[in-house]
């Protein structure tokens, strides 16, 4: 729901990435007008091509049957009409764009809550991470509680020194509760999703005790 309801020009992560990474997956991006010429490695979004209405029925057949029939339908019973999409996507920069990565944690969390989005997903498309299973909250919480910066993983030390938010999972598989650390601030995100839903109300969050005060 986040991308469907996102009515702004904020930049999000290209992919989930480890803190400090600098490859393409570690960059941020947003949509821009096709008139924009400063894409920084981005591209124009290709036009959308319509397909035969028969696709709606054929998609329920086994793939081995559906795919040949879809090709026949597109070839002989449909004239694809390109639908222009006058937009591009760009790689964002810290100096000229609004990157969620640069927003305060509560601003990002409240934005996600206002869109009734999965807050634990929005946190990870906004900020970089301390990657599990090597690093989880269990492996760093004692050092965070004591304020023992020197005993923390180097990437967490770097993030704290730069006062840049970093996401830390409780679950080694990257699901469930999270912590966001920014400087000495610690934010707690709880995951209470179920089979009946996983919206913002299933992800309560709050400002916790600071580094050295847990």
């Amino acid at each position: 729901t986040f991308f469907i309801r996102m009515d702004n020009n904020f930049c999000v992560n290209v992919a989930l990435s480890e803190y400090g990474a600098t490859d393409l997956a570690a960059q941020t991006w947003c949509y821009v007008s096709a008139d924009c010429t400063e894409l920084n490695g981005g591209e124009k979004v290709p036009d959308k091509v319509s397909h035969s209405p028969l696709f709606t029925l054929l998609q329920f057949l086994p793939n081995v049957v559906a795919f040949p029939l879809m090709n026949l339908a597109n070839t002989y019973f449909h004239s694809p009409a390109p639908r222009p999409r006058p937009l591009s996507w760009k790689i964002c920069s810290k100096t000229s764009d609004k990157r969620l990565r640069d927003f305060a944690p509560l601003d990002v969390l409240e934005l996600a809550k206002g869109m009734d989005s999965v807050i634990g997903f929005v946190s990870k498309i906004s900020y970089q991470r301390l990657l599990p299973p090597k690093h989880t909250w269990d492996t760093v919480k004692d050092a965070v509680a004591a304020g023992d910066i020197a005993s923390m993983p180097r990437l967490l030390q770097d993030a704290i020194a730069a006062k840049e938010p970093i996401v830390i999972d409780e679950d080694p598989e990257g699901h469930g509760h999270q912590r966001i650390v920014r400087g000495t601030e610690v934010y707690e995100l709880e995951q209470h999703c179920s089979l009946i839903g996983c919206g913002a109300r299933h992800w309560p969050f709050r400002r916790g005790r600071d580094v050295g005060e847990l």
Side-chain angles (χ1 to χ4, degrees):
T1 58
F2 183 72
F3 287 110
I4 294 175
R5 298 173 181 172
M6 193 173 180
D7 186 19
N8 52 60
N9 62 345
F10 298 152
C11 304
V12 300
N13 292 339
V14 171
L16 306 187
S17 63
E18 185 174 38
Y19 181 82
T22 58
D23 59 359
L24 176 60
Q27 304 304 312
T28 59
W29 73 281
C30 70
Y31 285 118
V32 292
S33 165
D35 296 329
C36 179
T37 58
E38 298 180 3
L39 301 181
N40 305 322
E43 298 177 338
K44 182 184 182 304
V45 176
D47 293 341
K48 185 176 182 179
V49 178
S50 64
H51 296 286
S52 169
L54 292 175
F55 275 31
T56 303
L57 299 175
L58 296 177
Q59 66 180 334
F60 297 106
L61 297 175
N63 289 344
V64 67
V65 176
F67 287 164
L69 291 178
M70 287 178 177
N71 287 332
L72 288 173
N74 240 12
T75 302
Y76 298 105
F77 301 102
H78 182 63
S79 297
R83 299 180 182 178
R85 294 195 282 194
L87 74 162
S88 301
W89 66 272
K90 65 172 284 187
I91 297 294
C92 300
S93 69
K94 183 174 183 176
T95 55
S96 60
D97 296 301
K98 298 176 181 179
R99 308 186 309 171
L100 288 182
R101 184 176 298 182
D102 302 319
F103 283 40
L106 282 181
D107 290 340
V108 168
L109 300 177
E110 289 291 350
L111 176 69
K113 180 179 179 180
M115 294 183 181
D116 193 24
S117 299
V118 180
I119 294 176
F121 169 71
V122 177
S123 65
K124 292 179 179 178
I125 63 168
S126 300
Y127 304 128
Q128 291 186 297
R129 308 165 62 196
L130 196 63
L131 289 182
K134 182 178 181 180
H135 299 299
T136 64
W137 183 243
D138 278 344
T139 67
V140 303
K141 65 180 182 182
D142 289 342
V144 173
D148 185 3
I149 305 294
S151 296
M152 298 178 188
R154 171 54 62 183
L155 295 180
L156 181 54
Q157 293 184 40
D158 292 345
I160 289 175
K163 295 184 178 180
E164 295 177 337
I166 183 172
V167 176
I168 307 171
D169 288 286
E170 285 195 11
D171 179 17
E173 294 186 358
H175 308 297
H177 306 331
Q178 301 173 16
R179 298 291 189 277
I180 300 175
V181 176
R182 183 184 71 162
T184 60
E185 304 167 2
V186 180
Y187 299 85
E188 303 172 357
L189 288 68
E190 297 182 1
Q191 191 260 71
H192 298 291
C193 296
S194 67
L195 294 176
I196 61 174
C198 194
R201 65 188 179 90
H202 301 99
W203 278 91
F205 57 85
R206 67 187 181 94
R207 167 88 180 264
R209 294 183 178 179
D210 288 355
V211 172
E213 297 180 357
L214 297 179

